[in-house]
């Protein structure tokens, strides 16, 4: 009505032409739809196909088809007469087929971006478990398919899909089953898509409370605000509605305020609507209600009756009327250019002649927006409206966001979360999930055979954290950090090493210093009593070398304690290897000396020339030289260096010396083991030689202790990490050195200090067992 009146007042668009319109009912029933189409074609008399009985032959275009089914039902008949049909319902790609529907023109923009817009809303509020309800038609089928594809791409799961069949919405059993299915679902968010009439029953139902407090997401084509005046409910309070963006049409609100059936008594449609909306009757004595007030105005009606702002569907109807007017304008302009006869009426205007002008129509409406038809339709942009109901039976639609399909990625979706009024009992945006939230410290573990949204929560692995909810994977902490107990954030690792300040380091250092001092004391005792038989009996010089090397062995363990430095790392293993080689080779030389001494007593023995001080010392020097060469090669090719171990201890960075070459390290240890094994073998063979001060028994026992310590060292060293590995090596050095000192020299010191009478030549001569 508004568009026709506006066009008729425009002297430039259709001069000397007056537009009018007829209104016919359309039903979701093929028979009734065809009946209305035949009434329009035949006139108000009998509906006789191909006859026009009482019809003024001036209607040239049909504007209708709120759904694709209605368009197809009407189009089958109207196409016989090539009457243009301009639809204002949702854009349907099937109707764009020029072969099947050559006379159908669609005004609505393409809604291909609606699934993406709805999924953006789900992702924003973390709704990953969503139910889908749609009417059973081809358009809704395509929408469900597109929406599911978009949901799958974004890891949003479908809780259920339910289709509402047009012919069954009034069946009570079907209706109860439908509501029961919705009630049983764990989804807190339900998307509804379809035409108004199909889903009408759901809006007027006594919906169970379990469904009442769900979040409903829908499009404006399912008009949740419309309901009979005698019903009050807030089933859809807080719903979010995606509506096509429209521009404000100047003068429309003023037009609504001026509309009154008294001005046009022949408009029975307006009169019926007026009586229903205001609950009145136009004539005294008719009906049960009061007489309608002459001052009544549409702007006082509730939203359930009329939205004072032009809805997107009304906006499309408005553009459709103007499209027809502009097509007529172009047609008359062509006639004028061809100097055709125009007599001021529309005689000679046939419906099929308008097709060529409608196909290419393009104009700007009164809001300044460009309007095009057919395959040129642009992709729709959407306003997001929040449906809010109040206790006084009033309701409003509040814009809370928008979706601009052409906007740059990341900027297409805008939502004002604080402006949204949520469903009853929500109070805030609640999640809609298949399973519980995976709190920080846990990550999602998908269950096999279930949707991706239905998952278990598994703790983050060692060394990883999750500081957000529902993380697919945990994040690794940097090498210098470690997770806290809850595995929510990373803490800086503490630097650690075997320090003098800690109890273990202090104890080992004290033991090393004490044993070194004890060894020096033993050496002093031997030097002081150097001329006694017990000191002279087993090569006095080798005893001095052995005691000096043992003292240094105790002290070299101090290189392993304290913060590792380049000098420490270079010296600790090489000094240990050389000192122990000197000690073990001295013991080997002592043992060999005993054996050679007894062999030299035989007449004509060649061993006599090897008995003396020079040969054993030469053996010590030779054995030590080989170890020095091994250490030199090690230091030249792959020297040890300071390193930081960030993996062995999850909470500490362990400062240590990297050996550089494990082959070189174990070669040094292996060479010492070879010398020790040789010493043990020779000493074991010479243990029963008759001699008062025979060391062979003590050397055998000392080497047994030495080998036991280092054999147990190897597996223990390999199984420990960090500073404990260093402590194990220090302990092995101290214990093996102490074993050599105790087993070889303590018995001698006992005789020297406690029983000095046994350490004389007189005692030895008078002792029959000597």
């Amino acid at each position: 009505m508004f568009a026709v009146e506006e066009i008729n007042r425009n002297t430039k668009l259709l001069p000397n032409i007056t537009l009018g319109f007829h209104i016919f009912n359309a039903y979701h029933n093929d028979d009734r739809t065809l009946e209305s189409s035949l009434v329009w074609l035949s006139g108000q008399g009998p509906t006789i196909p191909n006859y026009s009985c009482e019809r003024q032959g001036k209607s040239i275009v049909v504007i209708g088809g709120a759904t694709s089914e209605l368009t197809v039902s009407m189009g089958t008949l109207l196409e016989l007469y090539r009457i243009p049909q301009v639809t204002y319902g949702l854009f349907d790609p099937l109707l764009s087929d020029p072969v099947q529907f050559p006379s159908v023109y669609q005004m609505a923009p393409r809604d291909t971006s609606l699934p993406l817009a709805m999924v953006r809303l789900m992702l924003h509020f973390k709704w990953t478990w969503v139910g889908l309800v749609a009417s059973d038609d081809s358009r809704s089928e395509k929408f469900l398919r597109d929406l599911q594809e978009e949901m799958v791409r974004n890891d949003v799961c479908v809780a259920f899909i339910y289709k509402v069949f047009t012919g069954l919405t009034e069946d009570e059993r079907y209706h109860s089953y439908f509501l029961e299915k919705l009630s049983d679902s764990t989804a807190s968010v339900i998307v509804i898509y379809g035409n108004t009439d199909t889903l009408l029953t759901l809006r007027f139902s006594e919906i169970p409370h379990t469904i009442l407090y769900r979040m409903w997401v829908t499009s404006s084509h399912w008009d949740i605000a419309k309901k009979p005046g005698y019903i009050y409910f807030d089933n859809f309070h807080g719903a979010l509605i995606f509506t096509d963006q429209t521009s404000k049409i100047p003068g429309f609100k003023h037009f609504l305020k001026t509309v009154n059936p008294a001005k046009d008594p022949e408009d029975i449609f307006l009169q019926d609507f007026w009586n229903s909306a205001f609950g009145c009757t136009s004539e005294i004595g008719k009906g049960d209600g009061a007489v309608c007030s002459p001052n009544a105005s549409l702007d006082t009606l509730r939203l359930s009756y009329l939205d004072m702002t032009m809805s997107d569907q009304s906006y499309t109807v408005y553009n459709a009327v103007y499209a027809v007017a502009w097509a007529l304008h172009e047609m008359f302009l062509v006639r004028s250019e061809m100097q055709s006869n125009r007599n001021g009426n529309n005689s000679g205007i046939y419906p099929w002649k308008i097709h060529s002008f409608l196909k290419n129509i393009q104009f700007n409406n009164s809001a300044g927006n460009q309007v095009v038809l057919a395959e040129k339709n642009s992709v729709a942009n959407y306003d997001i409206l929040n449906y809010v109901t109040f206790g006084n039976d009033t309701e409003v639609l509040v814009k809370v966001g928008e979706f601009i399909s052409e906007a740059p990625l990341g900027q297409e979706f805008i939502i004002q979360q604080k402006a949204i009024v949520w469903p009853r009992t929500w109070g805030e945006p609640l999640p809609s999930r298949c399973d519980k939230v995976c709190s920080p410290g846990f990550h999602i573990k998908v269950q096999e055979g279930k949707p991706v949204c239905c998952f278990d929560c598994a703790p983050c692995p060692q060394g990883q954290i999750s500081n957000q909810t529902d993380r697919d994977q945990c994040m690794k902490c940097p090498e210098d950090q470690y997770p806290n107990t809850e595995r929510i954030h990373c803490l800086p690792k503490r630097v650690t090493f075997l320090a003098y300040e800690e109890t273990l380091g202090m104890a080992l250092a004290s033991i090393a210093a004490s044993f070194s001092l004890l060894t020096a004391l033993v050496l002093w005792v031997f030097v002081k009593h150097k001329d006694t038989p017990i000191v002279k009996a087993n090569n006095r010089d080798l005893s001095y070398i052995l005691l000096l090397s043992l003292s240094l062995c105790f002290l070299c363990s101090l290189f392993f304690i304290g913060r590792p430095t380049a000098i420490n790392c270079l010296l600790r293993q090489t000094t240990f290897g050389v000192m122990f080689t000197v000690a073990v080779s001295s013991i080997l030389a002592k043992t060999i000396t005993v054996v050679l001494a007894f062999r030299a007593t035989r007449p004509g023995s060649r061993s006599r020339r090897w008995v003396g001080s020079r040969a054993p010392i030469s053996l010590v020097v030779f054995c030590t030289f080989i170890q020095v060469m091994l250490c030199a090669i090690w230091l030249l090719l792959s020297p040890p260096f300071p390193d930081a171990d960030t993996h062995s201890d999850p909470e500490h960075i362990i400062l240590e010396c990297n050996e550089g070459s494990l082959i070189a390290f174990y070669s040094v240890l292996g060479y010492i083991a070879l010398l020790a094994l040789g010493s043990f073998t020779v000493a074991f063979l010479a243990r029963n030689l008759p001699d008062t001060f025979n060391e062979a028994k003590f050397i055998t026992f000392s080497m047994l202790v030495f080998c036991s310590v280092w054999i147990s060292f190897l597996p223990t060293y390999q199984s420990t990490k960090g500073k404990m590995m260093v402590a194990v090596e220090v302990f092995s050095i101290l214990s093996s050195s102490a074993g050599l000192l105790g087993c070889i020299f303590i018995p001698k010191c006992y005789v020297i200090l406690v029983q000095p009478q046994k350490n004389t030549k007189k005692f030895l001569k008078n002792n029959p067992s000597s």
Side-chain angles (χ1 to χ4, degrees):
M1 289 174 62
F2 174 65
V4 168
E5 289 187 13
E6 200 174 53
I7 292 168
N8 288 336
R9 290 196 304 268
N10 190 335
T11 57
K12 295 182 179 179
L13 184 57
L14 290 176
N16 301 323
I17 297 292
T18 302
L19 289 185
F21 61 89
H22 295 291
I23 295 179
F24 290 88
N25 285 330
Y27 301 89
H28 276 285
N29 181 293
D30 290 341
D31 296 339
R32 300 296 298 275
T33 302
L34 285 173
E35 182 183 7
S36 292
S37 301
L38 285 170
V39 168
W40 174 71
L41 289 170
S42 301
Q44 299 301 315
T47 54
I48 304 173
N50 212 29
Y51 280 87
S52 179
C53 301
E54 299 178 7
R55 176 175 177 266
Q56 294 180 356
K58 296 181 180 181
S59 298
I60 53 172
V61 174
V62 171
I63 297 176
T67 65
S68 300
E69 286 71 23
L70 286 174
T71 302
V72 172
S73 297
M74 292 187 293
T76 305
L77 181 61
L78 299 178
E79 180 58 34
L80 296 174
Y81 305 96
R82 295 204 60 201
I83 297 174
Q85 184 181 358
V86 182
T87 68
Y88 58 84
L90 288 169
F91 184 89
D92 191 340
L94 295 176
L95 300 179
S96 297
D97 185 355
V99 176
Q100 193 173 0
F101 304 103
S103 300
V104 174
Y105 302 91
Q106 300 187 73
M107 290 301 304
R110 299 174 185 266
D111 64 347
T112 51
S113 61
L114 182 59
L116 176 61
M118 287 188 171
V119 172
R120 285 288 184 273
L121 179 73
M122 298 173 194
L123 294 176
H124 178 81
F125 291 112
K126 298 180 180 179
W127 295 333
T128 57
W129 189 240
V130 179
L132 306 181
V133 177
S135 51
D136 185 48
D137 53 56
S138 58
R139 251 228 67 78
S140 300
E141 185 70 31
K142 183 181 185 306
F143 170 79
L144 287 178
R145 192 164 57 248
D146 294 344
L147 181 62
Q148 285 179 267
E149 290 176 0
E150 194 63 41
M151 291 170 71
V152 169
R153 276 195 291 270
N154 291 276
D155 293 335
V156 180
C157 298
V158 178
F160 63 87
I161 298 177
Y162 200 86
K163 295 181 181 179
V164 181
F165 296 89
T166 305
L168 296 176
T169 52
E170 296 179 2
D171 185 280
E172 289 186 5
R173 287 178 300 174
Y174 170 82
H175 189 60
S176 299
Y177 172 75
F178 170 59
L179 293 180
E180 183 180 349
K181 189 176 181 68
L182 294 186
S183 300
D184 293 342
S185 173
T186 57
S188 302
V189 177
I190 300 175
V191 173
I192 300 185
Y193 183 87
N195 57 70
T196 303
D197 294 336
T198 303
L199 301 171
L200 201 64
T201 311
L202 180 63
R203 296 205 305 278
F204 299 161
S205 303
E206 293 294 334
I207 296 184
H209 288 287
T210 51
I211 300 180
L212 194 62
Y213 303 122
R214 307 286 179 97
M215 169 55 75
W216 305 86
V217 179
T218 183
S219 66
S220 60
H221 294 275
W222 184 55
D223 198 343
I224 62 176
K226 297 295 181 286
K227 60 180 182 287
Y230 57 85
I231 291 181
Y232 170 73
F233 59 79
D234 59 355
N235 294 345
F236 304 105
H237 170 77
L240 294 176
I241 305 165
F242 284 83
T243 177
D244 295 345
Q245 278 192 345
T246 59
S247 298
K248 186 177 180 181
I249 301 297
F252 182 64
K253 280 193 175 182
H254 175 72
F255 168 76
L256 290 178
K257 292 179 182 179
T258 60
V259 169
N260 196 301
K263 295 181 179 180
D264 192 1
E266 294 182 0
D267 191 342
I268 59 171
F269 173 80
L270 179 59
Q271 184 66 62
D272 285 346
F273 173 77
W274 199 273
N275 294 348
S276 172
F278 290 101
C280 61
T281 181
S282 57
E283 297 182 28
I284 300 174
K286 281 192 175 182
D288 299 329
V291 178
C292 295
S293 171
N295 297 323
S297 176
L298 292 177
D299 61 351
T300 62
L301 290 176
R302 299 195 305 270
L303 181 65
S304 58
Y305 282 105
L306 186 68
D307 189 355
M308 289 300 293
T309 59
M310 186 178 286
S311 67
D312 53 350
Q313 209 165 27
S314 296
Y315 183 78
T316 307
V317 173
Y318 175 82
N319 286 334
V321 176
Y322 262 93
V324 174
W326 277 103
L328 291 172
H329 174 81
E330 293 293 330
M331 186 174 67
F332 290 140
L333 191 63
V334 169
R335 282 190 178 186
S336 174
E337 291 176 356
M338 297 176 63
Q339 296 181 352
S340 297
N341 220 0
R342 280 187 62 195
N343 55 12
N345 58 34
N346 61 349
S347 59
I349 301 177
Y350 299 104
W352 57 85
K353 291 186 177 182
I354 304 178
H355 283 292
S356 58
F357 300 99
L358 273 175
K359 286 179 181 178
N360 301 310
I361 198 66
Q362 184 173 324
F363 63 94
N364 290 335
N365 61 17
S366 59
N369 293 337
Q370 190 179 64
V371 180
V372 294
L373 273 78
E375 69 278 355
K376 300 176 184 177
N377 294 40
S378 61
V379 178
N381 298 321
Y382 298 98
D383 285 333
I384 304 174
L385 305 181
N386 186 203
Y387 177 63
V388 184
T389 62
F390 300 96
N392 58 357
D393 197 18
T394 59
E395 58 251 302
V396 292
L397 289 171
V398 182
K399 180 179 177 179
V400 294
E402 61 183 6
F403 181 85
I404 309 299
S405 54
E406 297 90 356
L409 187 64
Q411 302 177 22
E412 71 276 15
F413 180 77
I414 300 171
I415 192 76
Q416 298 172 1
Q417 184 169 322
K418 292 183 179 179
I420 299 176
V421 176
W422 300 100
R424 312 289 185 202
T425 74
W426 275 41
E428 61 179 355
L430 298 179
S432 180
R433 322 173 53 87
C434 175
D435 280 310
K436 61 182 180 181
V437 176
C438 283
S439 57
F442 294 81
H443 70 100
I444 293 173
K445 183 180 180 181
V446 178
Q447 301 178 24
E448 189 175 350
K450 288 191 176 183
V452 69
C453 304
C454 300
F455 48 77
D456 289 329
C457 296
C460 287
Q462 182 72 29
Q464 298 185 21
I465 64 162
S466 169
N467 55 8
Q468 297 177 0
T469 57
D470 290 342
R471 288 298 297 260
D472 293 330
Q473 294 180 337
C474 298
M475 301 181 299
K476 266 193 171 184
C477 285
E479 288 194 347
D480 59 345
Q481 296 180 6
Y482 72 98
N484 64 339
T485 307
E486 295 79 16
R487 299 183 184 179
I488 296 175
H489 55 264
C490 297
L491 302 174
K493 289 183 177 181
R494 295 188 297 274
V495 175
T496 183
F497 52 89
L498 187 59
Y500 287 105
E501 292 79 10
E502 60 182 291
T503 305
L504 180 60
M506 191 180 298
L508 292 175
S510 301
I511 293 171
S514 300
F515 274 109
S516 180
L517 186 61
L518 178 62
T519 307
L521 187 62
V522 172
L523 178 60
W524 176 79
V525 170
F526 266 59
V527 170
K528 186 176 180 181
H529 300 85
K530 61 182 179 180
D531 296 324
T532 58
I534 198 168
V535 175
K536 295 170 65 177
N538 294 102
N539 199 321
R540 181 170 51 192
D541 294 336
L542 284 179
S543 296
Y544 294 160
I545 294 172
L546 178 57
L547 285 170
L548 183 62
S549 64
L550 285 177
S551 180
L552 294 176
C553 282
F554 286 119
L555 292 178
C556 78
S557 64
L558 299 178
F559 282 123
F560 292 82
I561 306 173
R563 191 182 188 94
T565 63
I567 298 298
N568 274 357
C569 292
L570 288 172
L571 293 179
R572 62 166 57 173
Q573 298 293 1
T574 53
T575 305
F576 151 71
V578 171
M579 289 299 103
F580 261 78
T581 300
V582 172
V584 176
S585 61
S586 298
I587 294 172
L588 178 62
K590 272 177 168 289
T591 313
I592 293 175
T593 299
V594 173
V595 174
L596 290 177
F598 277 93
R599 289 195 172 208
T601 57
R602 298 174 185 175
S605 174
R606 296 181 181 180
S607 302
R608 190 182 298 271
R609 60 182 175 177
W610 298 105
V611 177
S613 61
R614 296 182 62 183
I617 293 175
S618 299
L619 178 63
V620 172
V621 172
F622 176 73
C623 293
T624 305
F625 176 75
I626 295 176
Q627 184 71 290
V628 170
M629 292 303 297
L630 286 175
C631 292
I633 294 171
W634 182 7
L635 294 179
L636 287 173
L637 297 181
S638 182
F641 57 90
D643 197 9
D645 181 6
T646 59
H647 305 291
S648 300
D649 191 332
E651 298 183 10
H652 298 88
I653 297 175
I654 302 169
L655 299 184
E656 60 182 9
C657 286
N658 190 310
E659 307 306 347
S661 171
L662 287 177
I663 295 176
F665 173 67
Y666 286 111
S667 296
V668 169
L669 289 182
Y671 181 68
I672 296 173
L674 181 65
L675 293 177
L677 185 62
S679 300
F680 174 76
T681 303
V682 175
F684 181 79
L685 295 174
R687 70 188 184 281
N688 293 322
L689 290 177
D691 186 16
T692 302
F693 300 113
N694 184 8
E695 290 182 309
K697 292 181 179 179
F698 299 125
I699 290 175
T700 302
F701 187 67
S702 67
M703 295 314 299
L704 186 63
V705 172
F706 183 89
C707 293
S708 300
V709 169
W710 287 102
I711 288 173
S712 61
F713 160 78
L714 289 174
T716 309
Y717 184 79
Q718 291 295 330
S719 61
T720 55
K721 298 292 181 183
K723 63 182 181 181
M724 294 310 298
M725 184 169 66
V726 178
V728 166
E729 188 168 359
V730 172
F731 178 79
S732 299
I733 293 172
L734 295 178
S735 56
S736 59
S737 300
L740 295 179
L741 178 66
C743 294
I744 295 176
F745 292 101
I746 295 302
K748 294 182 179 181
C749 288
Y750 178 78
V751 172
I752 293 172
L753 298 176
V754 180
Q755 295 178 331
Q757 69 278 4
K758 294 183 179 182
N759 191 21
T760 61
K761 287 183 179 181
K762 182 179 179 181
F763 174 79
L764 295 176
K765 288 180 180 180
N766 296 331
N767 186 5
S769 63
S770 174

